[in-house]
């Protein structure tokens, strides 16, 4: 059976009434037709669009305020503003069906998941029909790894008690979220989906989630490298190779270049964006040689763990707690525990999640 997105299995001619779409540039068909255009051509009455972080065209920087926009005469309401990341339920007054069609990154701290959670809450409050057009987990839906989020550290980069890599499609995750919400989402399933497949093993053309995730390999690296956002390291933003290059003062002497599935090639570069803007730093190009042997979380969490001992490391403690999902990394570093102890703790925490997860899988 050939692969198809949930979008291509949705038939809007069936009465959906006035539609509001939560989407962005990642919501395309296999032939790269934008979902709004595709559905309108097939009879959908789309009256409003809602965009997540980075905006409809995914061109705003991470964390940047996203203004309201317009797409071919359809108003685009931003769900990522400085003063609010919520959906105003009054925006649903003129909407019968709210449809979510956004490609996620497969990791907990990417905020498209939090937007999904919040719009499901809004749909529940307004008793608006909620539908999700399913898409692949770009990192595959088989691998589950990393630390669990503890409830007290919930935030917009960690909206639910799940591990960093949750191994679910966005539709399956909506089912999981709904255990706390009750929005009763209708999931339009993909066909021909294989859980072990990475995005580019299913789809010939990758649509970047944002400017800083231009390739599937960058998304794979991001799943672990994002933890380094908590220190003064360059993750390649402001270079042609975001999340495929890393830089830090004195990095060559601090990283042992011996990791399964990945090779790191020495380089030097000058980032054009913070936190090391304008400073020439030692760095590495990251070459993934075997995706299934490479564990980005253990590699980059381990590197962060070592870098925390460097006198040149400037740590934002609150940020690492939110990204990691708990205070365990800092507690372990404080008592000089071996990093392997942390990884062993991940495995113990995942057992309960795997049981919960099994009740929400649809493929």
């Amino acid at each position: 059976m050939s692969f198809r997105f949930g979008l291509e299995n949705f038939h809007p001619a069936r009465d959906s009434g006035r539609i509001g779409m939560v989407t962005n540039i990642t919501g395309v068909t296999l032939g790269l037709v934008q979902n709004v255009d595709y559905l309108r051509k097939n009879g959908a009455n789309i009256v409003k669009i809602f965009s997540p972080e980075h905006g409809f065209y995914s061109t705003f920087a991470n964390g940047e305020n996203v203004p309201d926009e317009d797409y071919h005469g359809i108003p685009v309401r931003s769900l990522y503003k400085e003063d609010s990341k919520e959906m105003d339920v009054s925006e649903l007054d003129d909407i019968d069906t709210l449809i979510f069609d956004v490609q996620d990154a497969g990791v907990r701290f990417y905020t498209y998941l939090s937007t999904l959670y919040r719009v499901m809450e809004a749909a529940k409050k307004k008793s608006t029909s909620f539908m999700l057009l399913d898409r692949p987990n770009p990192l595959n839906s088989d691998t589950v790894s990393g630390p669990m989020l503890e409830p007290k550290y919930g935030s917009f980069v960690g909206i639910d008690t799940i591990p960093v890599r949750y191994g679910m499609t966005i539709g399956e995750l909506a089912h999981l979220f709904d255990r706390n919400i009750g929005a009763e989402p209708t999931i339009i399933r993909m066909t021909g989906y294989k859980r072990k497949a990475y995005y580019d093993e299913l789809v010939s053309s990758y649509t970047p989630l944002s400017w800083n995730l231009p390739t599937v390999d960058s998304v794979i690296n991001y799943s672990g490298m994002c933890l380094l956002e908590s220190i003064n390291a360059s993750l390649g933003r402001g270079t042609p190779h975001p999340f495929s290059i890393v830089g830090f003062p004195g990095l060559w002497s601090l990283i042992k270049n011996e990791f399964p599935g990945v090779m790191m090639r020495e380089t030097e570069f000058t980032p054009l964006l913070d936190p090391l803007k304008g400073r020439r730093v030692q760095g590495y190009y990251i070459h993934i040689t075997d995706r299934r042997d490479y564990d980005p979380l253990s590699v980059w969490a381990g590197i962060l763990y070592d870098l925390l001992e460097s006198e040149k490391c400037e740590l934002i403690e609150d940020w690492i707690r939110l990204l990691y999902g708990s205070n365990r990394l800092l507690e372990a570093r404080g008592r000089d525990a071996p990093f392997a102890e942390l990884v062993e703790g991940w495995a113990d925490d995942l057992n309960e999640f795997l049981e919960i997860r099994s009740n929400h899988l649809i493929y």
Side-chain angles (χ1 to χ4, degrees):
M1 183 183 298
S2 59
F3 174 77
R4 290 166 64 94
F5 292 123
L7 168 64
E8 292 160 310
N9 289 328
F10 175 50
H11 304 288
R14 301 170 185 171
D15 187 18
S16 299
R18 297 164 298 180
I19 294 173
M21 287 206 70
V22 183
T23 192
N24 64 4
I25 202 69
T26 67
V28 294
T29 67
L30 288 171
L32 300 180
V33 178
Q34 186 65 44
N35 52 12
V36 176
D37 302 324
Y38 174 82
L39 292 177
R40 291 177 80 188
K41 186 176 180 179
N42 285 277
N45 180 24
I46 299 172
V47 299
K48 196 178 298 182
I49 298 169
F50 302 92
S51 65
E53 184 178 8
H54 306 300
F56 183 82
Y57 289 101
S58 295
T59 52
F60 288 91
N62 55 302
E64 186 177 359
N65 177 68
V66 177
D68 291 340
E69 302 176 77
D70 179 275
Y71 181 77
H72 297 310
I74 303 174
V76 180
R77 300 284 190 256
S78 169
L79 298 176
Y80 197 88
K81 294 190 173 183
E82 289 177 347
D83 58 348
S84 177
K85 307 294 187 291
E86 310 280 337
M87 172 179 278
D88 182 347
V89 294
S90 67
E91 292 281 8
L92 299 178
D93 286 348
D94 58 350
I95 289 173
D96 301 303
T97 303
L98 184 63
I99 296 178
F100 187 98
D101 186 26
V102 179
Q103 176 63 56
D104 69 315
V107 291
R108 182 183 68 217
F109 31 66
Y110 207 68
T111 64
Y112 293 174
L113 303 188
S114 300
T115 293
L116 169 61
Y117 199 102
R118 293 303 185 212
V119 299
M120 287 178 63
E121 289 182 322
K124 169 63 177 177
K125 289 177 184 176
K126 198 68 174 179
S127 298
T128 302
S129 176
F130 183 80
M131 183 178 295
L132 185 145
L133 311 183
D134 209 3
R135 291 185 175 271
N137 184 318
L139 305 181
N140 80 58
S141 296
D142 190 54
T143 302
V144 179
S145 66
M148 289 287 294
L149 173 77
E150 295 179 5
K152 68 180 289 186
Y153 293 98
S155 70
F156 209 68
V157 291
I159 200 71
D160 201 348
T161 51
I162 59 176
V164 173
R165 283 184 68 173
Y166 40 83
M168 306 175 79
T169 71
I170 192 75
E172 292 173 334
L173 200 62
H175 268 308
L176 179 73
F177 286 169
D178 204 50
R179 76 197 188 286
N180 299 325
I181 300 172
E184 300 181 354
T186 297
I187 310 299
I188 306 300
R189 297 176 52 159
M190 298 174 283
T191 51
Y193 182 59
K194 299 177 182 178
R195 299 197 69 88
K196 293 181 181 293
Y198 287 78
Y199 189 90
D200 53 5
E201 295 170 344
L202 294 164
V203 178
S204 59
S205 298
Y206 166 74
T207 303
L209 309 183
S210 71
W211 276 7
N212 287 310
L213 293 177
T215 65
V216 174
D217 276 1
S218 69
V219 182
I220 296 171
N221 287 325
Y222 170 83
S223 67
M225 285 179 70
C226 186
L227 296 174
L228 271 66
E229 286 187 353
S230 62
I231 64 172
N232 54 317
S234 170
L235 305 181
R237 291 189 175 102
T239 78
H241 309 288
F243 289 97
S244 290
I245 195 171
V246 62
F248 183 82
L251 190 63
W252 295 342
S253 63
L254 298 170
I255 287 185
K256 296 178 181 178
N257 192 3
E258 300 174 359
F259 305 106
V262 64
M263 293 181 63
M264 298 190 191
R265 180 166 54 88
E266 287 186 359
T267 187
E268 288 188 348
F269 66 97
T270 304
L272 300 180
L273 295 175
D274 294 334
L276 297 173
K277 180 179 179 181
R279 294 178 57 185
R280 191 160 184 83
V281 293
Q282 292 181 351
Y284 288 96
Y285 281 107
I286 303 155
H287 300 274
I288 299 175
T289 57
D290 187 336
R291 290 175 173 179
R292 289 170 172 81
D293 201 27
Y294 173 37
D295 183 352
L297 273 163
S298 64
V299 168
W300 293 102
I303 288 172
L304 172 62
Y305 202 67
D306 291 340
L307 292 182
L308 291 178
E309 285 201 331
S310 169
E311 294 181 356
K312 298 178 180 179
C313 184
E314 300 171 7
L315 174 67
I316 306 172
E317 292 191 4
D318 288 345
W319 193 231
I320 188 55
R321 291 187 184 103
L322 295 182
L323 292 174
Y324 193 82
S326 74
N327 194 41
R328 293 186 184 184
L329 186 144
L330 294 185
E331 289 174 344
R333 182 74 280 175
R335 55 188 171 83
D336 202 26
F339 177 69
E341 181 182 304
L342 272 176
V343 178
E344 290 169 4
W346 300 351
D348 293 339
D349 292 343
L350 286 177
N351 289 331
E352 182 178 353
F353 173 74
L354 288 170
E355 184 174 345
I356 296 171
R357 169 181 173 271
S358 68
N359 296 322
H360 300 281
L361 302 183
I362 59 178
Y363 302 95

